[in-house]
Amino acid sequence: MAQYNYPVTKKIDHTDTYHGTTVADPYRWLEDDRSAETAEWVKQQNEVTNKYFEQIPYRAEIMKRLEKIYNYPKYSSPSRKGEWFYFYKNDGLQNQSVLYRQKGLDGTPELVIDPNKLSADGTTRLVQFVLSKDGKYGAMALSKGGSDWQDIVIMDMATKQNLSEKLEWVKVSGISWQGNGFYYSRYPKPEGSALAAKNENHQVFFHKVGTSQADDELVFEDKTNPQRFNGVYTSEDQKFAFLSISDRGKGKDGNALYYRAAGEKEFKPIIAEITNSSYSIVDNIGQAFLVQTNHNAPNDKVEKFDIATGKWSTILPEKSEPLQGVSSAGGKLFALYLKDVTTRVYVYDFNGKRENEVQLPSLGSAGGFGGEADDKFVFYTFSTFNYPPTIFRYDIASKKSTVFRSPEVDFKATDFETKQVFYMSKDGTKIPMFIVYKKGLKLNGQNPTLLYGYGGFNVNLNPGFSPTLIPFLEQGGVYASANLRGGGEYGEKWHEQGMKLKKQNVFDDFIAAGEYLIAQKYCDNAHLAIRGGSNGGLLVGAVMNQRPDLAKVAIPQVGVMDMLRFQKFTIGWNWIADYGSSDNAEEFKTLYGYSPIHNIKSGVNYPATLITTADHDDRVVPAHSFKYAATLQELGAGSSKNPLLIKIDTNSGHGASNTKKNLESTADIYAFIWWNMGFVPKF
């Protein structure tokens, strides 16, 4: 069995029939995440993978360099509540960022909560912290071991002591205060595996401070449509509550939107029916709501809905660039647009009159700008590939930005270069891509090159700084980030070009990106690695099957690998809006045609593959990666000259659950790439 001694994975005789097509599923038993047999399989796979990494002599040096460059203080933008400013800080290598507050911007910081003390291994995360409107209480959502499940606890901000109540089984939820309590969303306690069972019947409750969860008021549920997301959020003045309902399980990409005034019981429709148009509240002006929507506007616009008349009027019309988001602060609207994947920020009054553009340091990514109605200034963060996240203070009256806090990172920005290129995909569509490398790079086709992609769910891959990328670039590596269709970089039309029956466009775009890098002599096939996570893991798996010769190394992380059964687990049904479903005959044909598990063939020399997943990933359950690894090892072991390995992390989820795990995973990936390319880094 080649030179890699993979564990023998038992096969069972199991088949399913889809629209007349019989599909074998011999590794179905690996879907049981609670069985002793699955646990033993995980143990054996990790033993093989860990043994493989023991032979790589520079793995420890990579980790050392990653720790050194990551070890600098990292801050979030402050947010104001009355006289207090709240912010997160990570001293450098802390597993979790710590929440602080201070009186005024010159005050002495005081500790609010240190999540590092909530678990022995630092894998309990503070996912949300939301203050009541008067700042008297803070509601904290905590996640354990990387799971998407959250517990909510409440802190008395005067004493900084937690109250006795705890809210459980919270998922896909905000925390929206109104008066003496808040709205949140949860599921009934799951039957069977808490990390794999399908999540249905999303309920909205109102929790009153000082009471138990059993006494919470059920605000909304819809048992006739169990695969919907339901959430309630409130206006800053607390006069209105808004109910948003989405039905992505039925393939619809938009939402319905309702409102009720404080004191009322019934929600009234703003948008009564769910279609493919999305609607979200930006702010309210008295009895009128500002709504961001893509209805008849693929690039988004802002409309005003007057509840007194029921009429709509346009505040910010659709532009040729997609509107990424709108926030309000200090009586102004801050609108973030995307031009060729870089941010532009404009300030408007509430009538839609443009006042000015916020001048950013260069082309890159900016975010923030939200705040209270009486704010005199706001904060925002700017970064790009060789510009670490820097917090700016924007004065609303003078329209000027000043640096509030800039990080000290152990690298010279001037040593590195970033350029944006546009290349042609298979059907002639022009695709943007950022390429980052050390100055003086020789285009000789021999540079270790890492191509990253995602291409789905309207998600943008914006240019941003990552300290963990620097060690790869320092060694002469090239990093390329391709902005594939399926994302939202050019609005909803760009997204639609990579959805459902058009998903092949995404794979074609990624393949064309690799071919461009090779044609331009950044690398050759022997020096190209492809990487992606989640929907990007699916991307890597599909591209490996379609073009096993494209890259030397493939890193599919937490990928959606079984396209016929993804909707059977946790909130997987939510992805039907992007992928379609095997329950539909036409969509089944497309899904079956590219599903990573179902298109692995024997006799193929697959790239060196490192599959990664984690035991607490309850978004894309690890069964996807388990079954994929078993199939790849079974069919590829005899013909692939390269290792086909899987690494399963513990107490981690859809992303690394703490800093240590993030750095360890990155060290593994770089070691695996360089080792299989025959490249020896110089530390």
Side-chain angles (χ1 to χ4, degrees):
M1 200 183 268
Q3 70 264 49
Y4 302 100
N5 191 22
Y6 305 118
V8 176
T9 307
K10 178 186 80 175
K11 292 178 77 172
I12 62 172
D13 185 18
H14 185 99
T15 60
D16 297 300
T17 302
Y18 299 87
H19 313 286
T21 301
T22 301
V23 179
D25 195 358
Y27 300 119
R28 176 71 64 88
W29 62 273
L30 283 168
E31 290 180 1
D32 185 356
D33 65 316
R34 297 180 301 165
S35 80
E37 208 174 10
T38 301
E40 179 59 27
W41 183 88
V42 166
K43 180 171 166 281
Q44 289 181 18
Q45 290 285 350
N46 273 340
E47 283 171 357
V48 169
T49 301
N50 292 337
K51 192 175 175 188
Y52 178 87
F53 276 103
E54 284 170 10
Q55 71 182 319
I56 303 178
Y58 44 75
R59 162 67 174 72
E61 290 296 320
I62 301 171
M63 187 65 182
K64 205 161 128 189
R65 178 59 184 135
L66 281 165
E67 286 180 333
K68 186 170 188 291
I69 198 158
Y70 204 84
N71 192 9
Y72 65 92
K74 303 167 194 69
Y75 292 84
S76 72
S77 288
S79 61
R80 183 179 71 87
K81 182 63 73 174
E83 60 184 347
W84 291 98
F85 285 87
Y86 288 79
F87 64 94
Y88 292 90
K89 181 192 177 190
N90 190 308
D91 289 340
L93 293 174
Q94 286 177 291
N95 274 318
Q96 307 293 338
S97 294
V98 179
L99 180 62
Y100 295 91
R101 69 176 181 179
Q102 62 189 56
K103 277 191 178 175
L105 289 177
D106 299 319
T108 304
E110 61 178 58
L111 176 71
V112 176
I113 182 171
D114 182 357
N116 296 289
K117 295 180 177 173
L118 299 178
S119 59
D121 61 357
T123 60
T124 295
R125 294 176 298 146
L126 176 58
V127 183
Q128 297 184 73
F129 176 81
V130 185
L131 287 161
S132 59
K133 304 293 183 179
D134 58 9
K136 196 174 170 185
Y137 297 104
M140 298 178 288
L142 304 171
S143 154
K144 295 176 183 172
S147 169
D148 280 347
W149 289 115
Q150 299 170 18
D151 292 337
I152 297 177
V153 294
I154 301 166
M155 178 181 283
D156 182 322
M157 299 314 300
T159 63
K160 289 191 288 182
Q161 296 297 310
N162 288 350
L163 306 184
S164 60
E165 63 247 46
K166 181 171 83 166
L167 314 183
E168 298 179 309
W169 304 113
V170 178
K171 190 186 265 196
V172 192
S173 175
I175 298 172
S176 297
W177 286 88
Q178 191 173 47
N180 63 349
F182 55 83
Y183 298 94
Y184 71 99
S185 301
R186 58 157 290 186
Y187 286 101
K189 183 179 177 179
E191 294 178 14
S193 168
L195 296 174
K198 190 187 283 191
N199 302 142
E200 295 187 319
N201 193 22
H202 205 220
Q203 303 163 309
V204 182
F205 287 91
F206 184 82
H207 176 77
K208 192 175 172 183
V209 173
T211 64
S212 75
Q213 185 173 23
D215 296 324
D216 288 353
E217 176 197 353
L218 177 62
V219 174
F220 183 81
E221 71 173 340
D222 182 357
K223 287 183 176 176
T224 60
N225 291 289
Q227 293 184 353
R228 286 183 169 182
F229 287 144
N230 306 307
V232 169
Y233 51 104
T234 53
S235 58
E236 188 191 325
D237 62 13
Q238 301 189 68
K239 289 179 180 175
F240 296 99
F242 303 99
L243 168 66
S244 178
I245 306 169
S246 63
D247 200 3
R248 293 176 58 83
K250 289 208 175 122
K252 292 176 181 173
D253 212 23
N255 65 295
L257 188 62
Y258 293 75
Y259 77 95
R260 73 180 186 189
E264 293 179 347
K265 285 291 181 191
E266 297 299 317
F267 283 96
K268 300 168 189 170
I270 301 171
I271 298 295
E273 299 298 323
I274 303 173
T275 64
N276 284 324
S277 297
S278 61
Y279 301 85
S280 61
I281 299 290
V282 176
D283 206 339
N284 66 303
I285 312 167
Q287 301 286 299
F289 308 139
L290 298 183
V291 182
Q292 181 176 340
T293 178
N294 62 4
H295 178 63
N296 292 332
N299 287 342
D300 276 39
K301 61 185 175 182
V302 175
E303 301 264 285
K304 182 165 77 173
F305 176 74
D306 192 319
I307 63 175
T309 64
K311 291 188 175 172
W312 292 83
S313 55
T314 301
I315 299 297
L316 300 182
E318 183 187 23
K319 294 176 63 169
S320 56
E321 296 87 24
L323 174 63
Q324 291 301 287
V326 187
S327 55
S328 65
K332 305 293 180 188
L333 295 176
F334 294 84
L336 280 66
Y337 289 89
L338 210 56
K339 184 176 175 59
D340 288 333
V341 208
T342 57
T343 310
R344 308 290 187 277
V345 184
Y346 303 102
V347 184
Y348 297 85
D349 68 16
F350 271 35
N351 294 314
K353 183 186 173 191
R354 180 169 146 179
E355 296 188 349
N356 61 287
E357 181 177 359
V358 178
Q359 296 301 319
L360 301 175
S362 66
L363 296 179
S365 303
F369 296 99
E372 308 271 320
D374 60 348
D375 278 340
K376 304 296 182 200
F377 54 85
V378 293
F379 295 96
Y380 67 91
T381 302
F382 177 85
S383 76
T384 189
F385 288 111
N386 57 350
Y387 191 108
T390 301
I391 302 168
F392 288 84
R393 171 177 161 166
Y394 175 81
D395 185 83
I396 293 171
S398 69
K399 305 175 182 175
K400 299 284 187 228
S401 294
T402 51
V403 173
F404 176 73
R405 192 170 269 141
S406 57
E408 298 289 329
V409 188
D410 179 27
F411 93 119
K412 280 188 189 167
T414 51
D415 287 352
F416 302 92
E417 206 167 310
T418 300
K419 74 176 181 180
Q420 186 180 36
V421 300
F422 295 85
Y423 64 89
M424 288 295 183
S425 189
K426 184 178 180 179
D427 64 359
T429 302
K430 197 165 67 166
I431 312 293
M433 176 164 63
F434 291 98
I435 306 175
V436 194
Y437 48 87
K438 205 172 176 183
K439 283 184 180 167
L441 181 85
K442 290 186 173 66
L443 295 179
N444 58 9
Q446 303 295 301
N447 306 297
T449 299
L450 178 53
L451 171 61
Y452 188 85
Y454 187 80
F457 295 91
N458 208 25
V459 170
N460 303 329
L461 288 188
N462 294 338
F465 181 79
S466 172
T468 59
L469 191 56
I470 302 303
F472 187 79
L473 299 175
E474 284 174 337
Q475 297 293 334
V478 175
Y479 179 75
S481 176
N483 298 106
L484 317 171
R485 281 174 286 183
E489 287 89 348
Y490 291 100
E492 184 56 27
K493 286 182 178 173
W494 193 254
H495 175 208
E496 288 171 356
Q497 284 296 309
M499 287 169 60
K500 295 187 177 177
L501 304 182
K502 297 180 180 176
K503 189 68 177 175
Q504 184 59 40
N505 285 336
V506 185
F507 313 140
D508 290 342
D509 292 354
F510 198 58
I511 290 166
E515 289 176 334
Y516 175 90
L517 293 166
I518 292 165
Q520 298 298 316
K521 305 283 190 197
Y522 288 99
C523 62
D524 55 19
N525 302 92
H527 291 86
L528 178 63
I530 55 176
R531 180 184 179 188
S534 193
N535 175 71
L538 154 65
L539 167 72
V540 171
V543 167
M544 274 174 62
N545 288 336
Q546 294 181 15
R547 283 292 306 276
D549 62 317
L550 180 67
K552 176 65 179 176
V553 180
I555 317 283
Q557 299 185 263
V558 295
V560 187
M561 299 313 211
D562 186 341
M563 298 309 296
L564 305 185
R565 287 179 57 76
F566 67 82
Q567 70 273 28
K568 307 285 185 187
F569 306 97
T570 64
I571 57 164
W573 46 261
N574 174 52
W575 313 330
I576 290 172
D578 236 68
Y579 294 146
S581 168
S582 57
D583 296 333
N584 174 291
E586 188 181 18
E587 290 170 352
F588 161 73
K589 193 177 172 187
T590 299
L591 291 165
Y592 192 39
Y594 71 74
S595 178
I597 285 175
H598 300 100
N599 288 278
I600 298 169
K601 295 179 175 63
S602 57
V604 174
N605 182 30
Y606 285 101
T609 305
L610 178 63
I611 306 157
T612 70
T613 187
D615 64 349
H616 276 60
D617 188 348
D618 47 5
R619 200 175 311 170
V620 180
V621 293
H624 281 278
S625 293
F626 293 175
K627 289 164 65 176
Y628 176 70
T631 309
L632 190 63
Q633 288 174 356
E634 177 207 346
L635 297 176
S639 54
S640 185
K641 305 177 186 124
N642 303 306
L644 308 170
L645 303 175
I646 181 168
K647 183 148 191 174
I648 303 111
D649 203 355
T650 55
N651 270 354
S652 207
H654 198 56
S657 56
N658 65 24
T659 295
K660 184 170 183 282
K661 288 177 181 294
N662 179 33
L663 297 182
E664 286 174 347
S665 172
T666 305
D668 285 344
I669 288 166
Y670 291 166
F672 189 80
I673 289 172
W674 286 335
W675 185 251
N676 281 286
M677 289 181 181
F679 175 83
V680 181
K682 298 178 178 66
F683 289 101

